[in-house]
Amino acid sequence: MIDQFRKIIVSLLKEKTDLIEDEIDKCIEIPPDSKMGDYAFPCFSLSKTLKKPPNKIASELAEQISPVNPINEIKAIGPYLNFFLDKKIFSEVVLKKISNETDLYGSDAIGTDKTVVIDYSSPNIAKHLAVHHLRSALIGNALYNIYKELGYKCVGINHLGDWGTQFGQLIVAYRKWGEKNLEKYTITDLNKLYVKFHQEAEKDIHLEDEAREWFKKLENGDGEAIALWKRFKDISLLEFQRVYKMLGIQFDAFVGESFYNTMVDDTVLRIQKKGLSCISEQALIIDLERYNMPPCLLRKKDDTTLYATRDIAAAEYRSAEYHFDKMIYVVGSEQKLHFNQVFKVLELMGYDWANNCVHVDFGLMKFKEGRMSTRKGMVVLLEDLLIEAVERIKKIIEEKNPSLKDKEIVANDVGIGAVIFADLSTKRNKDVIFDWDTVLNFEGETGPYVQYTHARLCSILRKYGKAVTSNIDFALLKEDDAINLIKVLWQYPFVLLKSAQFYEPSLISNYLIDVCAKVNKFYNSHRVLSEDDDLTKARILMVNAARQIIKNGLKILGMHAPTEM
RNA sequence: GCGCCAGUAGCUCAGCUGGAUAGAGCAUCGGAUUUCUAAUCCGGCGGCCGAGGGUUCGAAUCCUUCCUGGCGCGCCA
């Protein structure tokens, strides 16, 4: 989507300068204070070619360019040429567009006929989902929604960590110390075995070898190994699905690493035929020294495959299966090198689509005391956090709005939403310290704040009780508080585009805070419902537009927007 | 040692594809509710934007050196 107001300014400037449209468009900015105008064109860059001071250029341009509808004033302020929109026309364009497009406001067609594969969440099976698994799942889910909104066909893949030496470890632990009634096992039981293995392995170095042997059996299709592994996987999936359901996260495919087991031999063979690999210290590797990277390991000395091998095979498979235009891996930044290696190998294999693979990395979540570790039991289970969030919200509802109907549903929406919003509101590449009171803070720049604002707007509309009309006198929306709100509403589609461009959902959560701050400012100083019918109608239209944007934005983040709370 | 990421108010962060006086929230102090939900709003306090050097008309933003913290660097994922 293009900003039609911006476009008009570009065309006006194009007539009076020698610059091309793109250059002008890049320069145009939104002034820090709306008193200075709605759009501004800095004249510094022109001063070189024109050999005149920028202030002079600005004032000359201001004289030369006469304002045309919807611009009603062009004024030089220092070295800037500032454009003032006709507020009436601006409000009309914005509010009518939102009013017409409703749930589709913000959507775009740039992704039509393009496919994006998004690999997110991708936890290891046989371990609980813990809070540090949140980030990949939530960022991935949000990116899925963002790209879908922009017209892309999205394929969400949960690339389960269901293969690897760790399952050899688990099988060993189960056979040595496990209760034999596998039907009754939960993830907690598997987790205990996993922890036990690592405790014992510190005392007995042979255990690791034994585990590697069992993994080899697994890769070779040994009956007992496969049966155990399959059961471990079923137990895990059952519990994962429960938590995903709580979070409202879905996938198009649950395809784990094991799925590619039958393909890796072929993949490795082709790599070898291309002469990309060599043997080093008994392992099969691809030397990447030329590219300033450590080697990529394909096969261990016992011939079994590694994570990278399976990722390469998986990428090939996905390319053939989905013909993607872009493939996004939402995986922690500690795996940056791994993905750089994998992408480089794909490129060396001759795949031009290797350039369309992106590692969307994010910072580590840890405790004040240090790293989270399943092995050491240093985790907060995701499910526990979600339950606690909902419980705390229930208490607040009893305090503030005890007569609320559907308390359970609202508490769920708000509690889970608070956790989602908290996670998505900082830029993804920052490390985060997990702290109960931070995640479960419900005041200020939080999910509940956004949802609360939405609920209040809904409340006004309920009280109004009549149909919203866009047949209003737009001149009545004249207060700065109103105009500032409408201006920020106009930005939503561009924020969405930017969040896709940078793979950054936090742009949307921060934007929503901005919208809510402006809504609340208006709300606190102006009445919406009043004796003045025309004014009420006008403000209702604006309120409804703000409500719509908050709802659309929350949906992108994977949150519900309760109409009452 | 090498590589990647981060360092902005007491705390958590936004601003970083160079632009007008560095913005929020939390905390703290004070104020706003006979009227649309006070999970809100308004005001006060609070900053050598990690340090130095450079590029530029202009640097929190770009380059460079250094400091601090996190992560990664061959048989885990």
Side-chain angles (χ1 to χ4, degrees):
Chain A
M1 170 172 166
I2 16 169
D3 184 336
Q4 61 188 84
F5 300 107
R6 207 183 166 102
K7 203 179 161 193
I8 290 164
I9 292 165
V10 171
S11 64
L12 284 176
L13 282 164
K14 199 184 163 212
E15 288 171 28
K16 303 292 174 191
T17 64
D18 291 331
L19 301 171
I20 59 165
E21 286 184 20
D22 281 355
E23 281 176 312
I24 301 168
D25 192 69
K26 251 180 92 179
C27 289
I28 289 177
E29 49 193 76
I30 295 172
D33 188 332
S34 54
K35 286 189 187 69
M36 296 190 266
D38 300 304
Y39 292 90
F41 178 73
C43 300
F44 305 99
S45 54
L46 283 176
S47 84
K48 250 185 216 154
T49 46
L50 296 177
K51 302 209 165 62
K52 276 187 251 181
N55 293 41
K56 192 160 187 222
I57 298 170
S59 51
E60 281 175 8
L61 283 173
E63 278 172 33
Q64 286 170 27
I65 304 175
S66 42
V68 293
N69 186 336
I71 294 155
N72 62 10
E73 193 184 357
I74 300 172
K75 192 163 74 178
I77 303 179
Y80 291 88
L81 185 64
N82 291 16
F83 297 80
F84 293 78
L85 294 175
D86 182 318
K87 301 298 182 287
K88 190 178 160 209
I89 298 172
F90 177 70
S91 301
E92 179 164 358
V93 169
V94 175
L95 297 181
K96 278 191 171 163
K97 189 168 169 67
I98 299 170
S99 182
N100 289 337
E101 298 185 3
T102 62
D103 288 350
L104 292 175
Y105 184 69
S107 64
D108 207 300
I110 56 163
T112 309
D113 298 326
K114 289 186 186 150
T115 299
V116 180
V117 170
I118 309 176
D119 177 326
Y120 57 108
S121 190
S122 310
N124 290 331
I125 64 166
K127 293 183 203 170
H128 286 108
L129 285 178
V131 289
H132 60 277
H133 292 110
L134 258 177
R135 306 209 78 197
S136 174
L138 294 179
I139 293 166
N141 189 241
L143 290 176
Y144 187 102
N145 294 335
I146 289 165
Y147 276 92
K148 204 168 171 199
E149 195 70 1
L150 298 180
Y152 292 86
K153 178 176 186 277
C154 294
V155 182
I157 300 179
N158 194 329
H159 187 66
L160 295 165
D162 63 356
W163 208 243
T165 314
Q166 53 175 325
F167 298 101
Q169 296 170 349
L170 204 55
I171 291 169
V172 169
Y174 171 76
R175 295 178 86 250
K176 282 194 193 302
W177 310 295
E179 303 262 342
K180 298 304 165 207
N181 55 340
L182 203 46
E183 315 78 50
K184 290 191 179 155
Y185 266 50
T186 62
I187 283 206
T188 308
D189 300 315
L190 296 179
N191 221 17
K192 278 182 192 155
L193 285 177
Y194 181 76
V195 171
K196 172 101 175 160
F197 178 90
H198 285 282
Q199 283 168 352
E200 297 294 325
E202 281 185 20
K203 294 177 238 162
D204 181 0
I205 47 163
H206 300 295
L207 279 174
E208 295 278 7
D209 290 333
E210 227 175 296
R212 271 188 283 270
E213 259 169 57
W214 272 99
F215 176 55
K216 186 157 188 174
K217 284 190 185 180
L218 191 58
E219 278 213 326
N220 293 336
D222 174 90
E224 185 184 354
I226 292 277
L228 286 172
W229 167 81
K230 201 166 178 309
R231 184 66 201 139
F232 295 157
K233 188 170 170 177
D234 290 343
I235 293 163
S236 306
L237 279 180
L238 215 62
E239 302 214 8
F240 289 174
Q241 289 287 20
R242 194 176 64 234
V243 181
Y244 289 136
K245 199 177 167 196
M246 288 171 84
L247 281 168
I249 290 180
Q250 290 181 334
F251 301 89
D252 297 303
F254 276 83
V255 182
E257 290 183 65
S258 61
F259 178 76
Y260 306 98
N261 193 37
T262 53
M263 305 169 203
V264 283
D265 287 345
D266 186 54
T267 298
V268 171
L269 212 60
R270 275 179 291 110
I271 292 172
Q272 286 176 305
K273 271 189 188 156
K274 280 191 183 274
L276 298 171
S277 60
C278 63
I279 301 288
S280 162
E281 296 169 35
Q282 297 175 309
L284 185 68
I285 68 155
I286 301 175
D287 184 70
L288 296 172
E289 208 178 340
R290 283 174 59 199
Y291 309 99
N292 226 347
M293 280 188 269
C296 177
L297 267 79
L298 294 176
R299 282 193 193 280
K300 296 183 265 190
K301 61 184 169 195
D302 68 0
D303 238 25
T304 56
T305 61
L306 287 116
Y307 180 46
T309 331
R310 296 189 286 275
D311 259 0
I312 293 162
E316 285 187 299
Y317 172 83
R318 290 171 183 177
S319 172
E321 181 74 14
Y322 303 113
H323 307 286
F324 57 77
D325 297 274
K326 193 190 279 286
M327 175 152 66
I328 295 171
Y329 293 88
V330 186
V331 181
S333 57
E334 69 273 15
Q335 292 191 33
K336 194 89 217 161
L337 176 61
H338 163 75
F339 282 107
N340 284 341
Q341 290 175 314
V342 168
F343 298 163
K344 180 54 76 180
V345 170
L346 291 170
E347 187 190 315
L348 293 174
M349 288 172 81
Y351 297 123
D352 50 6
W353 49 262
N355 291 320
N356 303 330
C357 297
V358 190
H359 175 210
V360 171
D361 59 340
F362 54 85
L364 213 61
M365 186 186 278
K366 52 189 170 178
F367 295 114
K368 231 176 292 174
E369 298 77 20
R371 249 183 123 129
M372 296 186 173
S373 158
T374 310
R375 254 179 234 186
K376 293 173 188 154
M378 285 268 293
V379 286
V380 171
L381 302 191
L382 193 41
E383 197 170 8
D384 292 347
L385 173 66
L386 298 177
I387 290 169
E388 178 67 19
V390 173
E391 284 307 312
R392 291 203 197 182
I393 294 292
K394 275 184 192 160
K395 282 198 192 104
I396 294 174
I397 289 173
E398 287 309 327
E399 250 170 59
K400 310 213 179 218
N401 195 359
S403 61
L404 180 69
K405 48 190 180 207
D406 299 324
K407 281 182 198 170
E408 292 283 322
I409 295 169
V410 173
N412 246 284
D413 289 349
V414 178
I416 307 286
V419 173
I420 294 174
F421 197 90
D423 201 79
L424 290 180
S425 56
T426 44
K427 258 168 57 173
R428 60 179 161 75
N429 66 0
K430 291 237 185 195
D431 287 349
V432 290
I433 304 283
F434 177 83
D435 174 61
W436 285 94
D437 292 332
T438 307
V439 181
L440 301 180
N441 170 38
F442 307 132
E443 280 167 20
E445 298 173 335
T446 64
Y449 170 72
V450 177
Q451 288 170 319
Y452 176 68
T453 305
H454 176 267
R456 281 167 123 193
L457 300 183
C458 290
S459 174
I460 296 173
L461 291 161
R462 263 197 309 276
K463 192 156 182 187
Y464 179 64
K466 285 175 268 186
V468 179
T469 172
S470 51
N471 183 19
I472 61 150
D473 180 1
F474 288 90
L476 295 173
L477 299 169
K478 60 181 190 302
E479 301 83 4
D480 285 350
D481 289 344
I483 298 297
N484 288 338
L485 173 58
I486 295 167
K487 277 170 92 166
V488 72
L489 296 180
W490 179 241
Q491 291 304 315
Y492 179 66
F494 312 113
V495 172
L496 212 53
L497 283 165
K498 196 175 171 191
S499 69
Q501 185 193 345
F502 292 101
Y503 313 104
E504 192 60 89
S506 70
L507 290 172
I508 294 168
S509 41
N510 288 328
Y511 168 79
L512 288 177
I513 293 288
D514 195 17
V515 171
C516 291
K518 293 193 161 72
V519 167
N520 284 317
K521 196 174 164 70
F522 183 89
Y523 180 99
N524 272 279
S525 42
H526 309 280
R527 293 242 359 131
V528 175
L529 305 175
S530 70
E531 301 294 306
D532 185 337
D533 280 352
D534 288 338
L535 185 62
T536 301
K537 263 170 36 185
R539 288 181 174 173
I540 280 288
L541 180 67
M542 181 179 72
V543 160
N544 190 46
R547 190 213 100 248
Q548 183 73 56
I549 302 254
I550 296 171
K551 183 182 166 215
N552 292 6
L554 286 176
K555 192 176 167 207
I556 295 283
L557 297 180
M559 292 166 63
H560 292 283
T563 56
E564 237 175 304
M565 67 186 263

